[in-house]
């Protein structure tokens, strides 16, 4: 599975600059006027993982394949987007397929970069986007409820339950809150899963700051931090300007530049890590002479379902998983050494895969 994140925000907050930088691409215009992104730009970035490098050194495979994150850069939304203002509905629809939303918020002053509302106000900007996504969700929920009301009145128990759950979401959103903050049973949440509600998606607030605020943030980012904590959301302080400079350097210069700024990792690395935490994702590895590869799974995934990420036939014909912990493999240096020291295990269908596990799956064709 490849993690898919949608980048949203008002016009001129630095979304496309950030997208260009993260994907090392120039196919998304970064211009000083609203709506310069006409089609949703899509880019793939590899997930940096030092463990892959170490496995490559030990195994010496023919190829190494990291896991990836897909970024979708959505055009800047404005007030009224849910009703078609700006480039509205078309772009809200593009968000439906993503796993998580990266909401870029302008947290810097620059008189040379116009603001669509004329002033810098991160909370207002955040609420504009929240409201447009909520309004779009209300539209989806109301249509869904209307579709099921007739059957519910006729006594259909399933339809009655669907209407009941839909009403809970509608009433919650009408208070100005996003769907993800509604406390509801997982089984009930599954009933509206196919609606792909926009505000039910995990959200990361990316505060775009100036260079001097890249490490500690500023008064603007503190406003967002307070709100994010109330929502249980992730916050990332990032400078699109700094990141655009980093991407032009070689690795050695990057490290020196980050150190001078007081940063230990690039914004891309921190964005990916935050997204993984947000979605509760982990990585396991397969390691052989043909290929060393990273695979992304959700936390608490059992072995057959982890195998299905490679191929659905692996889950259907699952027999067992042969497991080595990454730390054991690196310490001992090889699969043979792990077997000799009793660090090579055979696990069945109920085994919960752990982050960093090195796995071989046995299955019937």
């Amino acid at each position: 599975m490849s993690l898919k994140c949608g980048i949203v925000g008002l016009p001129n907050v630095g979304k496309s600059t950030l997208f260009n930088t993260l994907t090392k691409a120039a196919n998304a215009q970064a211009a000083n006027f609203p709506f310069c992104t006409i089609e949703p730009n899509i880019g793939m970035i590899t997930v940096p993982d030092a463990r892959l490098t170490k496995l490559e050194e030990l195994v010496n495979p023919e190829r190494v394949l990291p896991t990836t994150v897909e970024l979708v850069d959505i055009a800047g939304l404005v007030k009224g987007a849910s009703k078609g203002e700006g480039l509205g509905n078309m772009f809200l629809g593009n968000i439906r397929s993503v796993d998580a939303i990266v909401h870029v918020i302008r947290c810097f002053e620059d008189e040379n970069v116009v603001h669509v509302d004329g002033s810098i106000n991160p909370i207002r900007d955040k609420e504009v986007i929240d409201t447009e996504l909520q309004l779009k969700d209300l539209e989806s929920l109301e249509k869904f409820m209307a579709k099921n009301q007739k059957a519910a009145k006729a006594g259909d128990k399933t339809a009655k339950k669907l209407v009941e759950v839909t009403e809970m979401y509608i009433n919650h959103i009408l208070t100005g809150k996003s769907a993800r903050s509604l406390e509801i049973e997982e089984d009930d949440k599954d009933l509206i899963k196919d609606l792909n509600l926009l505000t039910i998606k995990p959200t990361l607030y990316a505060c775009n700051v100036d260079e001097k605020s890249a490490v500690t943030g500023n008064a603007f980012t503190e406003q967002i931090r307070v709100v994010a904590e109330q929502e249980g959301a992730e916050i990332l302080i990032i400078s699109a300007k700094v990141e655009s400079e980093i991407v032009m350097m070689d690795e050695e210069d990057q490290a020196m530049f980050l150190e001078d700024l007081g940063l230990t990792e690039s914004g891309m690395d921190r964005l990916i890590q935050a997204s993984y935490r947000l979605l509760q994702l982990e990585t396991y590895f397969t390691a052989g002479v043909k290929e060393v590869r990273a695979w992304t799974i959700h936390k608490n995934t059992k072995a057959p379902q982890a195998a299905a990420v490679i191929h659905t036939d692996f889950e259907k014909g699952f027999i067992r998983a042969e497991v080595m912990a990454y730390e054991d493999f690196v310490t001992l240096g090889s699969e043979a050494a792990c077997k000799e020291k009793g660090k090579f295990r055979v696990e069945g269908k109920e085994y919960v895969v752990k982050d960093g596990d090195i796995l071989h799956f046995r299955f019937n064709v």
Side-chain angles (χ1 to χ4, degrees):
M1 58 183 283
S2 177
L3 170 62
K4 190 173 184 179
C5 293
I7 303 178
V8 304
L10 290 173
N12 288 1
V13 297
K15 292 188 305 82
S16 293
T17 299
L18 186 61
F19 174 86
N20 286 341
T21 301
L22 294 178
T23 58
K24 298 182 181 179
N27 62 336
Q29 281 183 287
N32 186 25
F33 56 90
F35 316 126
C36 63
T37 306
I38 303 303
E39 295 294 336
N41 294 279
I42 297 175
M44 301 294 291
I45 57 177
T46 58
V47 177
D49 195 322
R51 295 175 296 184
L52 268 180
T53 305
K54 190 63 180 177
L55 289 174
E56 181 180 13
E57 291 173 5
L58 294 172
V59 178
N60 193 28
E62 292 178 13
R63 64 176 182 170
V64 177
L65 293 173
T67 190
T68 58
V69 173
E70 182 176 331
L71 293 180
V72 182
D73 176 31
I74 310 297
L77 299 175
V78 294
K79 188 174 182 179
S82 60
K83 303 300 181 185
E85 291 295 321
L87 293 173
N89 285 326
M90 174 169 58
F91 296 101
L92 287 168
N94 290 324
I95 310 172
R96 293 206 183 278
S97 64
V98 303
D99 302 302
I101 291 174
V102 178
H103 182 168
V104 181
I105 301 173
R106 180 170 170 174
C107 292
F108 65 90
E109 299 269 12
D110 187 341
E111 61 184 21
N112 295 316
V113 181
V114 298
H115 189 289
V116 71
D117 286 324
S119 62
I120 309 303
N121 187 328
I123 298 299
R124 177 201 61 204
D125 294 354
K126 172 193 174 299
E127 289 175 351
V128 167
I129 300 297
D130 286 349
T131 298
E132 295 310 315
L133 300 184
Q134 289 163 9
L135 288 171
K136 199 65 181 174
D137 280 350
L138 278 176
E139 182 183 307
S140 299
L141 287 162
E142 286 166 355
K143 286 180 181 177
F144 187 66
M145 187 163 72
K147 180 181 174 182
N148 289 287
Q149 277 178 327
K150 187 175 180 180
K153 288 177 181 177
D156 186 308
K157 290 183 179 179
T158 300
K160 194 172 182 180
K161 182 63 176 177
L162 288 171
V163 168
E164 178 187 324
V165 171
T166 306
E167 280 184 329
M168 290 172 67
Y169 274 104
I170 289 173
N171 292 334
H172 183 74
I173 291 174
L174 285 173
T175 67
K177 297 176 181 177
S178 294
R180 60 182 170 274
S181 64
L182 178 62
E183 294 183 6
I184 192 170
E185 296 291 333
E186 284 299 319
D187 287 347
D188 290 342
K189 190 182 293 186
D190 286 343
L191 294 175
I192 55 93
K193 190 175 182 180
D194 289 345
L195 292 181
N196 278 320
L197 296 180
L198 303 176
T199 67
I200 210 166
K201 298 178 185 297
T203 298
L204 167 67
Y205 296 114
C207 297
N208 187 15
V209 299
D210 52 39
E211 184 174 321
K212 68 178 185 294
S213 304
V215 178
T216 59
N218 53 34
F220 294 136
T221 63
E222 284 309 304
Q223 293 174 27
I224 298 298
R225 189 184 302 281
V226 170
V227 175
E229 286 176 358
Q230 292 170 352
E231 294 181 3
E234 287 268 353
I235 179 175
L236 174 71
I237 296 172
I238 189 168
S239 171
K241 182 176 182 296
V242 168
E243 297 300 318
S244 65
E245 292 174 10
I246 290 173
V247 79
M248 303 301 292
M249 303 175 185
D250 59 34
E251 286 189 21
E252 187 176 334
D253 288 339
Q254 283 182 14
M256 290 175 62
F257 184 63
L258 287 169
E259 186 178 347
D260 288 343
L261 289 173
L263 294 168
T264 56
E265 296 174 298
S266 71
M268 183 187 75
D269 290 357
R270 290 182 287 117
L271 173 65
I272 292 170
Q273 290 165 12
S275 299
Y276 267 55
R277 288 195 301 271
L278 194 65
L279 292 166
Q280 299 187 45
L281 301 178
E282 293 181 333
T283 303
Y284 77 83
F285 304 97
T286 51
V289 291
K290 289 284 186 185
E291 177 183 279
V292 165
R293 186 163 182 170
W295 304 89
T296 301
I297 55 171
H298 288 281
K299 283 185 178 179
N300 300 316
T301 297
K302 292 184 178 179
Q305 288 71 50
V309 174
I310 300 175
H311 198 290
T312 53
D313 286 348
F314 283 28
E315 180 181 10
K316 293 173 185 174
F318 181 88
I319 300 173
R320 67 179 183 271
E322 297 169 352
V323 186
M324 295 169 285
Y326 170 81
E327 291 78 8
D328 292 334
F329 188 89
V330 169
T331 300
L332 297 172
S334 69
E335 181 177 314
C338 286
K339 288 179 177 178
E340 184 182 332
K341 297 293 183 179
K343 299 296 183 180
F344 181 96
R345 311 188 315 275
V346 175
E347 301 284 359
K349 292 183 177 181
E350 295 303 309
Y351 177 67
V352 176
V353 176
K354 298 177 178 60
D355 186 59
D357 275 353
I358 298 170
L359 302 174
H360 296 308
F361 295 109
R362 302 300 179 187
F363 62 100
N364 287 318
V365 179

